[in-house]
């Protein structure tokens, strides 16, 4: 979630957090979980196949992990993470490739394998995911609406207000730290190059990054 990589208003977008699709551990700490739209997604829990693309942290092991039967595929320029000594996510298939080139090829390969009998199942799955997408958006709007009445400005309400100002020309440089969950709930970013957030330590990063965007 450090770059805009999938349109938040797409029917198949169901949030930035992989937790609902994994086998959840006993939660430790308080990082704004579970948010209203991150409750277990009906019919979508415990993914059997996970495709992770160009990410250093595909999930947080303390919170949740793939189920024991899940197959994890990882596409990255450096899928072994040689420069991160303690990187030890369980990956079944490492694909050393540029995602920009690999994803179109993967898409073509998948389309060539789809049989007419598969389309009914695929459309049913799509409707299920779209319903969860709509539920997430509805839940986020309800939170912001409720926060309008509070005597102080909440992260959810402020993020919803920022989203109302978002246009095709908007560029958001985010350094929200503990409020990142609220921010990502409400920002319906859908244009490449319109959102930037550091993937590492970030206190003080935002002001300098704004100068370079």
């Amino acid at each position: 979630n450090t770059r805009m990589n999938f349109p938040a208003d797409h029917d198949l977008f169901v949030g930035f957090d992989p937790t609902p699709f994994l086998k959840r551990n006993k939660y430790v700490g308080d990082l704004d979980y579970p948010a209203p739209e991150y409750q277990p997604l009906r019919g979508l829990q415990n993914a059997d196949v996970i495709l992770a693309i160009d990410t250093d942290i595909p999930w947080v092991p303390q919170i949740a992990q793939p189920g024991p039967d899940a197959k994890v595929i990882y596409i990255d320029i450096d899928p072994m993470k040689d420069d991160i000594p303690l990187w030890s996510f369980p990956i079944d298939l490492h694909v050393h490739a540029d995602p920009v080139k690999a994803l179109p090829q993967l898409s073509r390969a998948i389309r060539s394998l789809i049989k007419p009998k598969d389309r009914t199942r695929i459309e049913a799955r799509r409707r299920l995911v779209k319903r969860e997408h709509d539920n997430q958006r509805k839940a986020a709007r309800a939170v912001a609406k409720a926060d309008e009445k509070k005597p102080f400005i909440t992260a959810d309400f402020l993020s919803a207000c920022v989203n109302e100002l978002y246009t095709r020309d908007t560029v958001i440089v985010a350094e929200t730290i503990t409020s990142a969950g609220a921010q990502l709930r409400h920002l319906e970013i859908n244009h490449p190059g319109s959102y930037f957030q550091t993937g590492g330590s970030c206190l003080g990063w935002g002001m300098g990054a704004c100068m370079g965007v």
Side-chain angles (χ1 to χ4, degrees):
N1 62 355
T2 61
R3 300 289 187 275
M4 187 274 141
N5 53 43
F6 194 83
D9 55 358
H10 193 284
D11 288 346
L12 300 183
F13 176 80
V14 284
F16 291 90
D17 186 356
T19 301
F21 305 97
L22 305 176
K23 184 178 180 180
R24 186 159 181 153
N25 301 330
K26 182 178 180 181
Y27 183 64
V28 178
D30 182 13
L31 293 176
D32 198 23
Y33 288 89
E37 74 277 24
Y38 290 161
Q39 301 293 335
L41 305 181
R42 292 175 293 279
L44 298 177
Q45 305 100 310
N46 300 332
D48 55 356
V49 175
I50 297 171
L51 175 61
I53 304 168
D54 193 18
T55 176
D56 290 337
I57 306 176
W59 59 82
V60 180
Q62 270 192 316
I63 300 175
Q65 302 184 56
D69 298 325
K71 300 300 181 184
V72 183
I73 305 166
Y74 187 59
I75 301 177
D76 199 302
I77 289 292
D78 179 18
M80 303 303 293
K81 297 300 176 186
D82 292 334
D83 59 343
I84 307 179
L86 298 180
W87 199 88
S88 58
F89 289 91
I91 307 298
D92 295 289
L93 176 61
H94 292 85
V95 179
H96 187 179
D98 180 350
V100 173
K101 298 178 179 178
L103 290 179
Q105 295 180 50
L106 179 61
S107 177
R108 288 194 293 271
I110 292 174
R111 290 175 184 276
S112 70
L113 295 173
I114 294 176
K115 304 291 191 299
K117 64 180 182 179
D118 297 323
R119 297 196 178 277
T120 299
R121 177 174 53 84
I122 292 172
E123 285 305 312
R125 176 79 172 184
R126 185 184 182 94
R127 288 193 297 270
L128 175 63
V129 178
K130 181 183 184 304
R131 183 166 67 247
E132 293 301 336
H133 167 84
D134 294 341
N135 287 341
Q136 284 190 6
R137 304 317 312 152
K138 182 179 179 180
R141 287 191 292 268
V143 170
K145 185 67 176 177
D147 284 2
E148 286 183 9
K149 303 175 183 178
K150 293 183 178 179
F152 52 88
I153 299 175
T154 68
D156 280 279
F157 177 66
L158 179 59
S159 298
C161 291
V162 172
N163 187 60
E164 291 182 3
L165 299 174
Y166 177 83
T167 69
R168 193 176 189 87
D169 297 323
T170 301
V171 177
I172 296 173
V173 176
E175 189 183 347
T176 47
I177 319 298
T178 54
S179 298
Q183 166 202 294
L184 294 173
R185 274 197 287 280
H186 297 281
L187 293 181
E188 298 181 23
I189 49 180
N190 51 27
H191 302 301
S194 64
Y195 179 87
F196 297 93
Q197 178 179 323
T198 179
S201 301
C202 59
L203 288 177
W205 171 85
M207 294 301 293
C210 286
M211 300 298 293
V213 171

